[in-house]
């Protein structure tokens, strides 16, 4: 504890900031993003001459993390009313009112701007385009159009989450290839099989 000079104890600033930082972490869906970064790293490790091009490889991972975080924020900006009615999501910062919509929009813009800058400077146009496609595919197409309109939303929306191995590969090589496309196909097929059991388990919430 620290004193304010009048005998009133107060917490250190860093301790008071921890809940806010935790909310930013949740808002960016950091646990989900960590899986995107992991699969992107696999794509990079399988690419030829990865360690020779390590600055581009590192920039690719940072860019994917930031863009994925921006997509997670966009998802929650669109769905706070829905999140409030689900046990799994009612405690999210936007749904709970701990962070406002305008603040979340600024946060998403900052994350996306940093991602674009890093990928533009240290990788290549193909990697930037694929990353933008993945972010828009998840944050806009999947969230705004597929989820409300079709039960097949996770099948087509899962393509955005399947792109990171290819993005990791292109960050190093600047080219498409068969091997990372196979990895994309594997994740694309795995995503519904993973998510549908979760949907069944939470079927009352989703209903």
């Amino acid at each position: 504890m620290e004193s304010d000079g009048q005998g009133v104890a107060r917490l250190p600033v860093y301790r008071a900031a921890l809940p806010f930082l935790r909310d930013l972490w949740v808002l960016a869906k950091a646990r989900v993003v960590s899986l995107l970064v992991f699969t992107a790293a696999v794509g990079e490790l399988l690419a030829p001459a990865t360690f020779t091009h390590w600055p581009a490889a590192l920039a690719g991972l940072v860019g994917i993390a930031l863009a994925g975080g921006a997509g997670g924020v966009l998802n929650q900006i669109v769905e706070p009313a829905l999140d409030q009615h689900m046990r799994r999501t009612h405690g999210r910062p936007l749904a709970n009112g701990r962070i406002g919509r305008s603040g979340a929009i600024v946060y998403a813009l900052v994350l996306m701007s940093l991602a674009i800058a890093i990928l533009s400077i240290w990788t290549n146009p193909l990697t930037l385009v694929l990353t933008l496609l993945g972010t828009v595919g998840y944050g806009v197409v999947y969230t705004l159009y597929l989820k409300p309109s079709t039960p097949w939303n996770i099948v087509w929306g899962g393509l955005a989450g399947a792109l990171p191995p290819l993005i990791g590969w292109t960050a190093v090589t600047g080219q498409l290839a068969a091997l990372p496309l196979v990895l994309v196909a594997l994740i694309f097929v795995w995503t519904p099989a993973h998510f549908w059991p979760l949907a069944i388990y939470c079927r009352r919430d989703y209903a």
Side-chain angles (χ1 to χ4, degrees), residues 29 71-79 92 138-139 142-143 147:
K29 294 192 173 182
V73 178
L74 287 174
N75 177 262
Q76 293 175 74
I77 288 172
V78 173
E79 299 183 329
R92 286 176 174 174
Y138 175 74
Y142 168 69
T143 302
K147 286 182 76 174

Side-chain angles (χ1 to χ4, degrees), residues 159 162-163 165-166 178-192:
L159 182 59
L163 287 176
L166 180 61
L179 179 57
L181 289 173
V182 170
L183 294 178
V184 169
L186 287 174
I187 297 174
F188 177 71
V189 172
W190 169 83
T191 300

Side-chain angles (χ1 to χ4, degrees), residues 43 51 116:
F51 296 104
I116 291 172

Side-chain angles (χ1 to χ4, degrees), residues 23 26-27 72-73 75-101 104:
D23 281 342
V26 173
L27 195 57
V73 178
N75 177 262
Q76 293 175 74
I77 288 172
V78 173
E79 299 183 329
L82 293 177
D83 285 344
Q84 289 171 356
H85 297 287
M86 296 183 67
R87 287 171 298 172
R88 188 172 60 87
T89 60
H90 75 275
R92 286 176 174 174
L94 270 171
N96 200 259
R98 296 191 304 276
I99 291 180
R101 183 184 179 89

Side-chain angles (χ1 to χ4, degrees), residues 10-174:
R10 59 184 176 84
L11 290 173
V13 174
Y14 76 89
R15 190 174 295 180
L18 282 179
F20 178 67
L21 295 175
R22 191 179 300 114
D23 281 342
L24 293 181
W25 180 266
V26 173
L27 195 57
K29 294 192 173 182
R31 290 198 299 176
V32 174
V33 170
S34 68
L35 297 176
L36 303 181
V37 173
F38 174 78
T39 56
V42 172
E44 290 184 349
L45 291 173
L46 292 174
T50 298
F51 296 104
T52 303
H53 303 288
W54 67 265
L58 180 59
L61 296 181
V62 174
I64 290 168
L66 291 169
V73 178
L74 287 174
N75 177 262
Q76 293 175 74
I77 288 172
V78 173
E79 299 183 329
L82 293 177
D83 285 344
Q84 289 171 356
H85 297 287
M86 296 183 67
R87 287 171 298 172
R88 188 172 60 87
T89 60
H90 75 275
R92 286 176 174 174
L94 270 171
N96 200 259
R98 296 191 304 276
I99 291 180
R101 183 184 179 89
S102 58
I105 291 172
V106 171
Y107 184 36
L109 288 174
V110 169
L111 290 176
M112 200 66 232
S113 298
L114 289 173
I116 291 172
I118 289 170
L119 294 173
S120 298
I121 295 170
W122 283 291
T123 63
N124 51 72
L126 178 58
T127 301
L128 176 59
V129 168
L130 289 172
T131 303
L132 290 175
L133 285 175
T135 304
V136 173
Y138 175 74
V140 179
V141 178
Y142 168 69
T143 302
L144 278 177
Y145 300 105
L146 293 176
K147 286 182 76 174
S149 61
T150 172
W152 293 92
N153 59 76
I154 195 61
V155 176
W156 306 116
L159 182 59
L163 287 176
L166 180 61
I167 296 171
W169 179 283
T170 62
V172 174
T173 67

